Amino acid sequence: MKKELPKLYEPKETEDKIYKYWLDNDCFKADSSSKKKPYTIVIPPPNVTGQLHMGHALDETLQDILIRWKRMSGYNTLWLPGTDHAAIATEAKIVAAMKEEGLTKEDIGREKFMERAWAWKNKYGGRIVEQLKKLGCSCDWSRERFTMDEGCSDAVKEVFVKYYNKGLIYRGERMINWCPHCMTSLSDAEVSYEDQAGHFWHLRYPFKDGSGYLELATTRPETLLGDTAVAVNPNDERYKDIIGKTLILPLVNREIPVIADDYVETDFGTGVVKITPAHDPNDFEVGKRHDLPVISVMTDDAKIVDDYPAYAGMDRYEARKKIVEDLEKGGFLVRVEDYSHNVGTCYRCGTTVEPKVSTQWFVKMKPLAQPAIDAVKKGETKFVPERFEKIYFHWLENIRDWCISRQIWWGHQIPAFYCDDCGEMVVTKENSAVCPKCGKPMRRDPDTLDTWFSSALWPFSTLGWPNTEAEDYKCFYPTNTLVTGYDIIPFWVMRMMFSGLECTGQVPFDTVLIHGLVRDELGRKMSKSLGNGVDPLEEIDKYGADALRFMLATGNAPGNDMRYIEEKVKSSRNFANKLWNASRFVLMNLPESFTFKGLPEKLAVEDKWVISRFNTLAKEVNQNLEAFELGVACQKLYDFIWDIYCDWYIELTKPRIQAGGETAENAQDVLVWVLRGMLKLLHPFMPYVTEEIWSAVSDDDSPIMLSDYPVYDEKLSFAEDEAAFEKIIEAIRAIRNRRAEMNVVPSVKAKLFIETEYKDIFSQSEMFFERLASASSVEVCDSFDGADAVTVVTDSARIFIPLDDLVDREKELARLEKEKKAVQKDIDFSSNKLNNQGFMAKAPAAQIENEKAKLAKAQEKMAKIEQSIAAMKK
C-alpha cells in the first residue's frame, strides 16, 4: 500500500492529471441498463455565449457534491451536462461581430446568418464546458446536449404541434413587452422592474364645444399622440355630466370621447386617465371593452412614426422633450410634478421596455398552471427551503399567457407556415409545407421561439423524449434534484414543471434546491458596472479548485445569498494542506512492509474515541447531505479533520509509534482506517486532493470516487469509552489554556496532581498529559492540598500545578512590575489628553472616543497586572 507523497501539494500539477484519469476510466458514465437505483441531475444549461462566473461555480459545486455522494452511496448516477443556445444574447454577439465587418443580418440573409451562428457556436460554445471541467464537475460528457441539437429540436417541434392541436398555443394580437434595443418581444418573466425617477406632467384637454378643459396627468407625454379616449370612473360624481362628451387632443387635434370605465381609480390624481390602447397594457384592455381604435405612434426601435411630421424619426425621449415644449407653448401644460415609479426593463440589455400591440404566438397558461400548482401542494415536488414555494405560487396563480415568439433568427424557428395566396396557415413538424387548400408552396413564420421554451423541456428532451421507449428516458426520468438560483424560478423552474406534467404526465424532478447569489465582500451583487466580479478560473489558478469549492460549499445555506471572501478561500487551501501534511505524517510513520488488515481487535481507549467520533461524523454528514445542509456537513468535516484527527489523534499516537510493538501497529492501523474514511467523506467536497492522497493510501488502483461512502456502523459506536476519553481531552485543553494565560511556554515542564473520581481513565492517560500538557509527572489522587498551586477545574477533575514549577517568582514579579510601569505611562498619557480642555474642544468626536477606548483598555490591563502581582506575593 505505502506510497510517498511529495512535501507540498501542488493543485496546478495534479488537477488536470486527475481529471484526465477520471475521464480515461469512464468514472462519470451512467449506465441505463444498471440495476442500481438511479439518481439524476440535469445541469441548468449555461449559455453557450457564457464564461464561468462565480454563480456557475456555486451552482455546479453543489450539484457535483450531491452527484459524487450519491455515486459513492451506490446509486446509478447521471449528471447530464449541456448548454443553452441563449437566443437573444448569442444573436447580439454575432450581430456585433458582423457590424465590425460592415455587415447586417439583412445583407447576408437568414441562411448565411445561421451558418455564421453555428460556426460561432462551434468555435466558442465549448469554452464554458472546459471551464466546468476545471472545477472538477463529474458530468457524463458522453451525454452532453445542446438546446438546438437534433434531439432537442425534435422535442420542441413535437411540443409546439401538440400544444397547438390542443388549443394551448395560439396566434393573436395582444399587448406585449417589446425591447427597442434587442428588437424583439419579451415574456413577462424577461422584464426586470426598477424604480426610476420621473415626472407627472399635468395636462389639460379642451372640450370640443368650448366649455372648458379636463385636467389629467401622465408619466409618458410622448404617447399622447396615440390617445383615442379619456376615461373616468362611472361612479365618480365629479364627472357624471361629461361622460360621452368630446375632447380635442392637444397638438394632434383628433376628436376623442370621454368614456366611463371601472379601471379608473377615483382617488388617484384627478380621477381622469388618458387612454392609449397601443402603448399601455391596461389601456389596451379598456380599448377592447369600448372598441377604441389602436393607434401605434412608435416604430420597433422606439422612434415616432411618420404620421406625426413634427416629431417623426425622433427617439421617444427626444420626442417627449419636444412634445412637452409644444404643450407648454399651446397652454396645455398645467404643471410638472416629480414622481418615482416602477419601470420595466429588458433583462438582457437593461433598455426600458415599450408596451406594444403586436401579432405574436402565445401559450395559454391557465390550463397548464393549475396542475403545476397542485403538484407542489401535494408534495410531488418540494422546494428547499420551502419558503420559495411562495414565489412559484405567486407567478403561477397570477400568470398571463406566455408570449413565445421572438423577432430574431438564432433559435428554434416557429413551425408554422402561411399561404400568401389564400391565407391558409399550417402548423407541422416538417421543415416545409404545401398549402392543403390551393397547393402552393407555403412561407414559414420568420420568428423564433423564446429560449425558455426549449429550456422548459430540458429534463426530458435530453433523455430521448418524445421516444418514451428510449433507454435513458425509461431509466433516468423523472430526475431527482434540480439545483438552481431563486432568480430563475419564474423563468425556468415553473416552466419545466408545467411542461413536464403536460408532456410526460410526471413532475420533472422531486426536489428543487434553491441557492442564493454570490455577492462580493461588501454584500454587493457582482456586476460589470461595479467591476467587483471575481473570475473563478483565476481563483482556481491561485488556490486550486478544491479550495474554491470548499469555500463556496462551507459558506452556503439553502436559499441564502453568500459573500465571496478571498481569505476564506485561502483558509480552505490551508485546510487542504493540513490534510496533505497529516497524510504524509501517517505514510512516513508506516513500516515498508505495512499492509492494512482492518481495525485491530485490541483497541486503546483513544482509538475507540476517534473511531466512535468518526462513526458519528459519518452518520451526521449523510444526514446533512440528505437534508441538503451542505454547508453544515462541510463544517463538521473541517472540525473533525483539523481538530480531532490532526491536532489530537495524531499527537496521541506519536508516543505509541515511538514505543514500537503491538501498540504502535494498532495505532498505525487506526490512523490509516480513519484517514481513508475521512478522505471518502470529504471527497465530494474536495475531489482532487482526496483522490491524490487516496492513490497513496489505498490497497489498489481504483479511484476514491468509485469507493463506498462511509455510513454509520453500530458496532463502531463506543459511547462510554468516547465519553471517558473526552474527560482527558477536556482536562488537557484546560491545562493548556491556563498555561497560555500565564505565558508559560510548552518547554517548561510541571508536575500535575489530579483530584478525580475517574481514576482509571486518568491513570491510563498519564503519557498524554506528559506529551500534550507539558507534565513532568502525573499523580492521580482522591484529594490534594492546593495551597501554593495553580488550580484548573473541569467537570470531571480538579488539577493542581505547583506554582514554583511554572514560574520563577522573583523574575515574574520583576517582569510584571516593569510591565505595570509601561501601562501606567499609557494611562497617564490618555488621562492628560482627556483632561486637556483644548483637546476636548477641538478634537473630532471620533478621536475623543478613540482616546477614551485606549484609556479603558489600559486600565483593564493594569487591573489584570495588579491581580497577577497580588497572586504572586500571596
Side-chain angles (χ1 to χ4, degrees):
M1 177 203 90
K2 188 185 174 194
K3 299 167 192 170
E4 287 190 12
L5 288 173
K7 187 173 182 182
L8 297 174
Y9 173 57
E10 299 287 358
K12 276 188 189 179
E13 295 174 14
T14 57
E15 290 182 350
D16 288 346
K17 175 193 74 176
I18 290 171
Y19 201 86
K20 184 177 184 301
Y21 164 71
W22 288 331
L23 289 176
D24 290 347
N25 287 276
D26 288 337
C27 293
F28 306 157
K29 276 193 123 173
D31 179 5
S32 57
S33 64
S34 171
K35 299 301 180 190
K36 292 180 180 178
K37 186 177 181 180
Y39 178 82
T40 314
I41 295 177
V42 290
I43 201 168
N47 289 350
V48 74
T49 57
Q51 291 210 65
L52 193 72
H53 58 62
M54 207 52 81
H56 290 130
L58 172 62
D59 200 57
E60 267 56 87
T61 293
L62 299 180
Q63 290 170 76
D64 197 40
I65 289 169
L66 293 172
I67 213 80
R68 286 178 183 270
W69 165 56
K70 287 291 189 179
R71 187 184 289 121
M72 294 175 74
S73 298
Y75 286 77
N76 178 23
T77 53
L78 169 61
W79 186 13
L80 193 144
T83 49
D84 189 278
H85 63 280
I88 296 173
T90 304
E91 179 148 324
K93 285 185 181 288
I94 299 159
V95 168
M98 287 171 53
K99 192 175 181 181
E100 291 180 10
E101 299 176 46
L103 294 172
T104 65
K105 285 163 53 178
E106 290 69 28
D107 290 338
I108 63 172
R110 186 169 198 143
E111 189 177 337
K112 291 288 184 188
F113 176 83
M114 289 300 286
E115 286 176 12
R116 280 177 173 252
W118 277 105
W120 190 94
K121 183 263 174 191
N122 293 333
K123 184 176 180 181
Y124 297 108
R127 182 174 53 186
I128 196 160
V129 167
E130 294 308 308
Q131 292 170 344
L132 291 174
K133 291 177 181 177
K134 290 290 286 183
L135 192 63
C137 295
S138 60
C139 300
D140 184 346
W141 299 109
S142 69
R143 286 173 162 88
E144 184 183 346
R145 301 302 299 268
F146 176 56
T147 48
M148 280 176 63
D149 67 26
E150 186 178 356
C152 290
S153 297
D154 286 347
V156 165
K157 286 188 277 190
E158 179 80 20
V159 172
F160 190 97
V161 173
K162 171 186 163 81
Y163 282 10
Y164 179 78
N165 291 337
K166 285 186 73 173
L168 292 170
I169 279 181
Y170 63 92
R171 188 168 183 256
E173 190 176 66
R174 297 284 185 278
M175 176 66 68
I176 52 121
N177 306 297
W178 181 267
C179 176
H181 177 265
C182 297
M183 296 278 281
T184 186
S185 58
L186 302 170
S187 70
D188 290 347
E190 290 171 307
V191 179
S192 303
Y193 288 89
E194 57 185 47
D195 282 330
Q196 290 183 6
H199 299 93
F200 255 142
W201 283 271
H202 290 259
L203 310 176
R204 52 186 190 176
Y205 286 19
F207 285 106
K208 179 185 177 183
D209 62 9
S211 60
Y213 298 89
L214 196 55
E215 187 177 321
L216 52 85
T218 180
T219 58
R220 305 191 65 209
E222 67 277 13
T223 63
L224 167 151
L225 304 175
D227 286 3
T228 53
V230 164
V232 296
N233 190 292
N235 300 313
D236 194 330
E237 295 293 336
R238 292 172 294 177
Y239 302 119
K240 281 200 168 177
D241 294 342
I242 63 165
I243 294 168
K245 292 188 74 170
T246 303
L247 296 164
I248 302 297
L249 183 62
L251 307 184
V252 181
N253 292 321
R254 181 187 304 133
E255 292 186 7
I256 58 174
V258 178
I259 61 172
D261 196 281
D262 290 327
Y263 157 67
V264 183
E265 297 175 25
T266 57
D267 56 353
F268 185 77
T270 59
V272 181
V273 178
K274 70 189 220 38
I275 302 298
T276 321
H279 294 282
D280 183 275
N282 294 313
D283 292 5
F284 180 72
E285 296 301 324
V286 173
K288 281 203 296 184
R289 287 195 289 273
H290 296 270
D291 200 22
L292 298 174
V294 179
I295 301 174
S296 179
V297 301
M298 289 186 210
T299 59
D300 287 349
D301 57 350
K303 291 184 171 65
I304 302 301
V305 297
D306 293 340
D307 297 343
Y308 305 91
Y311 315 107
M314 287 184 182
D315 170 82
R316 54 185 165 168
Y317 299 117
E318 184 188 354
R320 176 183 294 178
K321 191 175 176 184
K322 182 73 169 63
I323 286 168
V324 169
E325 285 177 9
D326 290 350
L327 286 167
E328 188 168 20
K329 285 178 188 171
F332 302 111
L333 180 64
V334 179
R335 69 183 189 281
V336 182
E337 178 187 347
D338 288 340
Y339 181 68
S340 179
H341 57 143
N342 218 8
V343 176
T345 60
C346 174
Y347 84 116
R348 283 286 179 203
C349 66
T351 303
T352 297
V353 165
E354 191 62 48
K356 176 182 168 73
V357 176
S358 177
T359 301
Q360 302 285 345
W361 287 92
F362 295 86
V363 174
K364 195 179 288 183
M365 282 309 307
K366 288 293 181 190
L368 293 170
Q370 196 56 52
I373 292 168
D374 294 341
V376 173
K377 287 189 172 175
K378 288 179 197 166
E380 292 172 36
T381 295
K382 66 172 183 176
F383 279 76
V384 178
E386 192 178 332
R387 67 178 185 272
F388 286 97
E389 288 179 2
K390 289 179 184 175
I391 297 175
Y392 176 84
F393 289 139
H394 172 76
W395 273 89
L396 285 171
E397 287 166 355
N398 298 280
I399 202 157
R400 296 196 309 168
D401 286 356
W402 175 17
C403 176
I404 53 170
S405 43
R406 297 291 178 270
Q407 289 64 52
I408 56 176
W409 288 352
W410 174 245
H412 297 279
Q413 193 170 354
I414 288 172
F417 297 83
Y418 309 104
C419 181
D420 293 327
D421 286 341
C422 69
E424 181 70 5
M425 183 181 80
V426 170
V427 171
T428 174
K429 288 182 273 187
E430 304 303 321
N431 290 325
S432 62
V434 173
C435 181
K437 280 193 174 177
C438 67
K440 297 284 178 68
M442 302 183 85
R443 173 179 56 85
R444 189 166 186 176
D445 194 309
D447 288 354
T448 53
L449 287 164
D450 179 4
T451 296
W452 299 100
F453 190 91
S454 53
S455 300
L457 317 182
W458 187 251
F460 50 93
S461 66
T462 53
L463 295 172
W465 190 93
N467 177 11
T468 54
E469 292 304 309
E471 290 302 318
D472 277 3
Y473 179 78
K474 288 197 293 184
C475 180
F476 297 112
Y477 188 82
T479 72
N480 296 91
T481 309
L482 176 76
V483 181
T484 191
Y486 57 68
D487 50 333
I488 57 173
I489 291 173
F491 283 113
W492 193 41
V493 178
M494 72 176 192
R495 287 170 176 163
M496 282 189 287
M497 282 291 287
F498 69 67
S499 301
L501 286 162
E502 177 64 26
C503 297
T504 74
Q506 300 177 85
V507 292
F509 27 73
D510 56 52
T511 304
V512 182
L513 174 59
I514 298 292
H515 61 74
L517 304 177
V518 183
R519 298 182 177 272
D520 71 6
E521 291 195 10
L522 301 175
R524 300 173 303 177
K525 191 174 180 179
M526 291 185 181
S527 67
K528 286 180 182 176
S529 58
L530 287 174
N532 62 342
V534 179
D535 184 347
L537 295 175
E538 288 181 10
E539 301 305 282
I540 289 171
D541 191 55
K542 280 192 280 187
Y543 305 112
D546 285 334
L548 177 62
R549 288 169 61 112
F550 198 75
M551 178 268 170
L552 290 169
T554 305
N556 183 262
N560 293 346
D561 290 351
M562 63 177 293
R563 297 189 183 197
Y564 181 83
I565 300 171
E566 190 165 0
E567 281 302 315
K568 290 187 177 179
V569 188
K570 290 179 185 175
S571 172
S572 296
R573 178 202 56 193
N574 295 344
F575 175 56
N577 289 340
K578 180 91 169 178
L579 176 64
W580 183 265
N581 292 334
S583 304
R584 284 189 76 242
F585 168 83
V586 173
L587 288 170
M588 288 162 58
N589 283 279
L590 297 179
E592 287 294 332
S593 59
F594 180 83
T595 303
F596 180 68
K597 299 180 288 293
L599 285 174
E601 288 184 19
K602 191 176 179 183
L603 293 169
V605 66
E606 64 271 21
D607 298 334
K608 290 180 178 178
W609 169 73
V610 76
I611 291 166
S612 193
R613 289 291 298 262
F614 174 81
N615 196 34
T616 301
L617 176 72
K619 177 170 71 175
E620 291 181 353
V621 166
N622 278 289
Q623 287 172 342
N624 293 143
L625 289 170
E626 287 286 358
F628 301 101
E629 297 165 345
L630 279 63
V632 177
C634 269
Q635 193 59 53
K636 287 177 180 175
L637 285 163
Y638 180 95
D639 291 344
F640 181 90
I641 292 168
W642 192 291
D643 188 41
I644 302 299
Y645 189 76
C646 296
D647 285 358
W648 283 102
Y649 188 67
I650 283 179
E651 293 302 317
L652 293 167
T653 61
K654 285 178 180 177
R656 294 170 61 187
I657 291 170
Q658 287 168 5
E662 186 184 16
T663 185
E665 291 172 7
N666 289 352
Q668 288 159 345
D669 281 334
V670 176
L671 278 167
V672 170
W673 184 87
V674 178
L675 175 59
R676 287 181 176 183
M678 289 185 331
L679 292 171
K680 290 179 182 181
L681 284 178
L682 184 62
H683 175 75
F685 304 88
M686 299 182 100
Y688 287 116
V689 69
T690 51
E691 192 71 79
E692 184 71 357
I693 297 170
W694 181 257
S695 68
V697 302
S698 65
D699 291 323
D700 53 43
D701 293 331
S702 62
I704 191 172
M705 67 170 291
L706 299 183
S707 65
D708 293 336
Y709 204 70
V711 293
Y712 180 76
D713 183 347
E714 188 62 44
K715 294 192 296 292
L716 299 177
S717 176
F718 306 107
E720 287 185 16
D721 296 281
E722 182 186 336
F725 199 71
E726 282 292 343
K727 300 181 192 308
I728 305 303
I729 298 291
E730 187 184 6
I732 292 171
R733 192 178 279 128
I735 293 165
R736 284 173 165 179
N737 290 342
R738 178 55 59 87
R739 288 174 63 104
E741 288 167 10
M742 296 176 68
N743 297 313
V744 180
V745 295
S747 59
V748 174
K749 305 294 181 182
K751 296 189 192 80
L752 294 184
F753 296 91
I754 302 175
E755 185 184 285
T756 179
E757 60 183 286
Y758 305 100
K759 286 185 186 155
D760 288 349
I761 187 63
F762 277 89
S763 297
Q764 291 172 41
S765 306
E766 287 181 11
M767 69 173 170
F768 302 135
F769 286 102
E770 289 168 4
R771 180 167 186 87
L772 301 176
S774 300
S776 57
S777 64
V778 180
E779 185 179 320
V780 180
C781 51
D782 290 321
S783 62
F784 180 77
D785 179 5
D788 217 22
V790 173
T791 308
V792 177
V793 180
T794 71
D795 63 0
S796 57
R798 285 208 306 162
I799 302 151
F800 301 94
I801 313 169
L803 193 56
D804 289 338
D805 281 10
L806 293 175
V807 292
D808 181 320
R809 291 189 192 227
E810 295 306 318
K811 282 185 181 177
E812 183 62 10
L813 275 170
R815 186 191 69 77
L816 287 168
E817 289 292 351
K818 185 178 178 181
E819 193 175 357
K820 181 179 177 181
K821 284 179 184 175
V823 174
Q824 188 60 52
K825 278 186 182 178
D826 292 340
I827 290 171
D828 293 342
F829 180 80
S830 292
S831 296
N832 290 336
K833 239 183 174 183
L834 292 167
N835 289 326
N836 183 317
Q837 291 183 352
F839 170 77
M840 295 298 286
K842 294 177 183 175
Q847 192 178 347
I848 293 170
E849 287 305 313
N850 185 44
E851 205 59 50
K852 285 180 179 177
K854 280 189 342 193
L855 176 60
K857 196 172 179 182
Q859 287 170 334
E860 189 180 341
K861 191 173 181 182
M862 178 61 84
K864 287 181 178 175
I865 292 169
E866 287 176 340
Q867 193 177 3
S868 296
I869 289 171
M872 283 284 170
K873 288 180 177 176
K874 184 179 174 184

